[in-house]
Amino acid sequence: MTKIIKNDNIARLLEQLAEDAEVWAPRELAGTGTAIFERWQNGVAVDLEHITSISAKDVVLPRTEKLFDFNYAFGDPVPGENIEIVAAVTAPATVLFGARACDAKALTVLDALFDNPESESYNDPNYQARRRALTVITLACTTADAACFCSSFGEGPAGKAGSDLILYPLEGGYLAEAVTARGESILDAATRFFEESNAEPPQLAETATVEGLDGLQQQLPAIFKDLDFWNEITATCISCGFCSHGCPTCYCFNIHDEMSGDRKGERLRSWDACMFYVYTQEASGHNPRPTQAHRYRNRINHKFSYYPVNQGETLCTGCGRCIRGCPTNLDIREVLRAAKARAVETELMADGGKAETDK
């Protein structure tokens, strides 16, 4: 026996969840067909049809956040100049409603960097606190557009990684499946909105697949110095940075201080993008990644080589936002296929054909 929730009860469920937590949900921007995640307000309809243009990573990595306040003082508690630092961790209970499987999976990918077992590696206290306070209710995808390619990463449009509760679209409502104890507690606390049912999960969407991604981390080093290749595939890139800001797993950030007078201030962390020229510009003026080719090479290597090697996860979940939102139609799937083919060609040239017979 499973449970379903009718469409009419979705708003009532959100209203109950909002009594104890901040609720984030997708909303369509008036008649545009473009959806965004934002703090849900009673009376505002959620958009469970469109995939949001920007991911839901705001709930764990805000676009701008205060890390701490600081204040310089003389002679207290010891002679000379002292600095007082007050951490600014804020993590209210939060429910992310209507995330897609690719969004939920992205949280587990970010966990590998920001939220590790104590004493084993670096942990980000702000991220960690928000993650502990977060409940994720995922919407399984029964439709997909041409940019979706989550099936390339195994679990597909109803993957459970990162989800506490999954809703499967049905005629007139949604079938609910608890994934974690936290998801089970939602079903228990909102029994008036869920009904017992014998309904079966619907047919899920089929998304595009990029074959052979597992081998990329070993193959990408073969074309690292091949700037002709990277120049060719990034010829149309204008370094606008949308691919980074829309991505659920990109986490480039900048840190700066905002002073309040000359003795105190606050340190802030804001989203940045490795596709921006100034991201790696050094104080001397030198920039180790001066062209789009250098920056995009780093983007691909970071996602499919460096991060898998260092964190054990691929820094991409196939959400397709970088494809939908790119103003010059640069398709990361075509880049990955071209990179793989170029690497194989390079390996063949390096060993006089031996690589082909070994494969």
Side-chain angles (χ1 to χ4, degrees), residues 16-314:
Q16 177 171 311
L17 293 172
E19 292 176 359
D20 302 312
E22 291 185 0
V23 176
W24 285 63
R27 177 179 71 84
E28 182 183 5
L29 298 175
T32 63
T34 298
I36 59 171
F37 279 106
E38 65 178 16
R39 180 89 178 269
W40 179 79
Q41 297 180 21
N42 197 0
V44 176
V46 296
D47 182 352
L48 299 180
E49 177 184 356
H50 302 101
I51 296 174
T52 59
S53 57
I54 304 291
S55 74
K57 65 184 174 187
D58 272 292
V59 297
V60 289
L61 291 173
R63 298 175 195 212
T64 298
E65 65 174 312
K66 181 167 68 175
L67 298 179
F68 55 79
D69 293 292
F70 59 88
N71 183 30
Y72 290 96
F74 286 102
D76 182 22
V78 295
E81 188 173 55
N82 300 284
I83 183 169
E84 178 187 28
I85 295 177
V86 180
V89 178
T90 56
T94 302
V95 175
L96 174 60
F97 181 87
R100 304 301 176 119
C102 50
D103 295 318
K105 167 68 176 176
L107 294 168
T108 67
V109 172
L110 291 172
D111 289 347
L113 178 67
F114 291 105
D115 187 9
N116 291 286
E118 295 297 334
S119 77
E120 287 190 12
S121 182
Y122 168 76
N123 286 305
D124 186 286
N126 291 42
Y127 176 94
Q128 205 170 41
R130 293 191 187 97
R131 196 70 176 92
R132 300 284 187 275
L134 179 64
T135 299
V136 182
I137 301 177
T138 302
L139 178 66
C141 294
T142 53
T143 61
D145 67 16
C148 294
F149 66 111
C150 63
S151 298
S152 303
F153 302 92
E155 295 195 50
K160 297 179 180 177
S163 297
D164 294 297
L165 180 68
I166 297 182
L167 299 179
Y168 297 86
L170 300 173
E171 184 70 30
Y174 299 87
L175 184 152
E177 179 188 5
V179 179
T180 67
R182 193 173 283 191
E184 195 68 50
S185 69
I186 291 176
L187 295 180
D188 292 341
T191 53
R192 57 182 169 149
F193 303 131
F194 291 92
E195 303 172 8
E196 300 288 341
S197 170
N198 292 316
E200 296 289 330
Q203 181 71 36
L204 298 174
E206 293 185 9
T207 67
T209 301
V210 180
E211 302 290 347
L213 291 181
D214 289 343
L216 265 180
Q217 68 184 67
Q218 288 82 31
Q219 293 175 309
L220 282 172
I223 56 172
F224 183 83
K225 295 182 179 179
D226 189 351
L227 271 182
D228 288 342
F229 170 77
W230 295 108
N231 273 314
E232 182 180 347
I233 64 165
T234 59
T236 62
C237 177
I238 57 174
S239 292
C240 69
F242 180 86
C243 52
S244 297
H245 286 174
C247 177
T249 60
C250 280
Y251 58 84
C252 289
F253 59 84
N254 190 17
I255 290 179
H256 60 282
D257 293 345
E258 293 284 347
M259 299 300 294
S260 177
D262 62 348
R263 307 300 299 168
K264 61 181 180 181
E266 56 188 26
R267 179 155 296 179
L268 306 175
R269 175 166 61 184
S270 303
W271 286 6
D272 206 337
C274 62
M275 291 305 297
F276 293 160
Y277 175 83
V278 296
Y279 181 73
T280 49
Q281 187 175 32
E282 300 169 359
S284 66
H286 171 68
N287 193 332
R289 298 177 201 151
T291 70
Q292 290 98 324
H294 290 88
R295 295 191 285 277
Y296 200 82
R297 179 183 67 183
N298 173 73
R299 176 176 172 77
I300 294 298
N301 274 274
H302 185 205
K303 285 184 170 296
F304 297 95
S305 182
Y306 311 149
Y307 200 84
V309 169
N310 294 322
Q311 266 66 49
E313 296 278 356
T314 301

